[in-house]
Amino acid sequence: MDVRLGDRLVMKKPHPCGGREWSVLRIGMDFRLRCCTCGREMLIPRSKAEKAIKKILRESEE
Protein backbone atom coordinates (compact mmCIF):
# COMPACT_ATOMS: atom_id res chain seq x y z
CA MET A 1 0.00 0.00 0.00
CA ASP A 2 1.38 3.38 -1.01
CA VAL A 3 0.94 5.66 2.02
CA ARG A 4 2.98 8.89 2.12
CA LEU A 5 3.61 11.61 4.68
CA GLY A 6 0.86 14.21 4.68
CA ASP A 7 -1.78 11.86 3.27
CA ARG A 8 -5.22 11.76 4.85
CA LEU A 9 -6.54 8.29 5.55
CA VAL A 10 -10.24 7.45 5.78
CA MET A 11 -10.57 4.49 8.15
CA LYS A 12 -13.26 1.81 8.21
CA LYS A 13 -14.12 2.35 11.90
CA PRO A 14 -14.60 5.80 13.44
CA HIS A 15 -12.54 7.17 16.31
CA PRO A 16 -14.51 7.56 19.59
CA CYS A 17 -14.78 11.31 18.82
CA GLY A 18 -16.69 10.43 15.63
CA GLY A 19 -13.98 11.28 13.07
CA ARG A 20 -12.87 8.85 10.38
CA GLU A 21 -10.08 10.95 8.81
CA TRP A 22 -6.48 10.72 10.02
CA SER A 23 -3.38 12.54 8.77
CA VAL A 24 -0.10 10.63 8.45
CA LEU A 25 2.76 12.07 10.53
CA ARG A 26 5.29 9.20 10.35
CA ILE A 27 5.72 6.03 8.32
CA GLY A 28 7.85 2.95 8.95
CA MET A 29 7.13 -0.26 10.86
CA ASP A 30 4.53 1.86 12.69
CA PHE A 31 2.33 4.70 11.50
CA ARG A 32 1.89 7.83 13.63
CA LEU A 33 -1.55 9.21 12.85
CA ARG A 34 -3.38 12.34 14.03
CA CYS A 35 -7.18 12.46 14.14
CA CYS A 36 -8.39 15.36 11.99
CA THR A 37 -11.41 15.91 14.27
CA CYS A 38 -10.00 15.98 17.81
CA GLY A 39 -6.21 16.11 17.25
CA ARG A 40 -5.39 12.93 19.20
CA GLU A 41 -2.25 11.13 17.99
CA MET A 42 -1.71 7.39 17.98
CA LEU A 43 1.00 4.97 16.98
CA ILE A 44 -0.33 1.88 15.20
CA PRO A 45 1.51 -1.09 13.64
CA ARG A 46 1.72 -0.92 9.85
CA SER A 47 -0.06 -4.24 9.30
CA LYS A 48 -3.03 -3.21 11.44
CA ALA A 49 -3.24 0.24 9.83
CA GLU A 50 -3.20 -1.14 6.28
CA LYS A 51 -6.16 -3.41 7.07
CA ALA A 52 -8.14 -0.52 8.57
CA ILE A 53 -7.67 1.93 5.67
CA LYS A 54 -10.74 2.48 3.51
CA LYS A 55 -9.43 5.27 1.26
CA ILE A 56 -6.31 7.45 0.84
CA LEU A 57 -6.81 11.16 0.14
CA ARG A 58 -3.83 13.00 -1.37
CA GLU A 59 -3.23 16.76 -1.63
CA SER A 60 -3.30 16.55 -5.46
CA GLU A 61 -6.75 14.87 -5.44
CA GLU A 62 -8.47 17.42 -3.22
Side-chain angles (χ1 to χ4, degrees):
M1 191 167 282
D2 184 30
V3 178
R4 302 178 197 156
L5 286 177
D7 285 351
R8 287 181 173 253
L9 306 176
V10 179
M11 301 300 226
K12 293 178 183 174
K13 288 179 135 187
H15 189 240
C17 73
R20 287 181 183 263
E21 282 193 23
W22 295 79
S23 57
V24 179
L25 303 177
R26 193 188 96 169
I27 341 174
M29 285 296 292
D30 298 319
F31 285 171
R32 180 172 297 277
L33 305 173
R34 177 181 290 142
C35 179
C36 296
T37 306
C38 67
R40 169 77 85 170
E41 290 185 12
M42 75 170 180
L43 195 64
I44 183 172
R46 183 183 199 101
S47 58
K48 189 173 179 184
E50 287 180 347
K51 289 178 186 174
I53 295 172
K54 187 174 185 180
K55 189 159 108 176
I56 300 173
L57 305 174
R58 296 246 158 80
E59 294 295 325
S60 59
E61 292 178 2
E62 293 179 351

